[in-house]
């Protein structure tokens, strides 16, 4: 699934998510006001996101197919695979080296590790 979203695609998906099941004509009006888009621009963007499997336009009503959390998970998996060879420890080390973790964050991570060990 191609989840690479540019800034405008992300904003467009947010509008759809905030108005799930929105009639496509109403979406055109919102995008004309929010982005100064023409009708054709809105439909081009919608078609692109439908092709990516992120949105659907059924019977003239537009909705998202996958949640924001699912999109984030897919992007994270891709980042881990491409930049860290699929290694979560390498990713966490790179992150922790750049940002000092608070005690609370360290405790949360430890709780996750403990939970995964029990599974």
């Amino acid at each position: 699934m191609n989840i690479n979203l540019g800034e405008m695609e992300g904003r467009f998906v947010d509008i759809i998510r905030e108005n799930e099941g929105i009639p496509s004509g109403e979406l055109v009006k919102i995008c004309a006001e929010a982005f100064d888009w023409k009708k054709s621009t809105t439909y081009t963007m919608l078609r692109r996101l439908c092709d990516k499997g992120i949105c659907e336009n059924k019977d003239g009503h537009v909705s998202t197919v996958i949640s924001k959390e699912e999109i984030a998970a897919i992007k994270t998996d891709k980042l881990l695979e491409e930049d860290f060879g699929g290694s979560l420890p390498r990713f966490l080390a790179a992150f922790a080296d750049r940002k000092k973790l608070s005690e609370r964050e360290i405790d949360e991570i430890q709780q996750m590790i403990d939970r995964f060990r029990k599974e």
Side-chain angles (χ1 to χ4, degrees):
M1 183 176 287
N2 182 2
I3 299 295
N4 293 329
L5 293 180
E7 179 185 348
M8 291 308 293
E9 289 174 318
R11 291 174 62 191
F12 185 73
V13 170
D14 288 342
I15 287 173
I16 295 169
R17 189 170 279 117
E18 291 165 8
N19 299 278
E20 285 291 339
I22 186 172
S24 57
E26 184 65 27
L27 181 60
V28 168
K29 290 176 189 175
I30 290 172
C31 290
E33 187 170 311
F35 308 130
D36 197 28
W37 284 358
K38 294 181 177 162
K39 179 180 180 179
S40 60
T41 304
T42 299
Y43 282 112
T44 297
M45 181 71 78
L46 178 58
R47 186 173 42 257
R48 187 181 317 152
L49 292 171
C50 288
D51 290 347
K52 289 182 178 186
I54 296 169
C55 297
E56 69 179 1
N57 185 1
K58 254 191 185 168
D59 300 321
H61 289 81
V62 180
S63 57
T64 55
V65 176
I66 60 177
S67 71
K68 200 171 198 170
E69 292 77 16
E70 289 173 302
I71 290 172
I74 292 167
K75 284 180 170 181
T76 301
D77 289 346
K78 185 176 179 184
L79 173 74
L80 278 174
E81 190 58 42
E82 290 178 357
D83 294 349
F84 298 95
S87 171
L88 183 58
R90 282 182 52 205
F91 168 78
L92 290 173
F95 179 80
D97 284 345
R98 298 188 51 81
K99 179 188 181 283
K100 182 164 175 22
L101 297 174
S102 69
E103 285 299 318
R104 187 173 126 291
E105 290 171 322
I106 293 169
D107 289 343
E108 287 178 24
I109 292 170
Q110 186 61 56
Q111 287 172 6
M112 283 190 293
I113 292 169
D114 293 344
R115 187 177 71 239
F116 292 135
R117 280 201 172 129
K118 290 178 184 177
E119 292 179 357

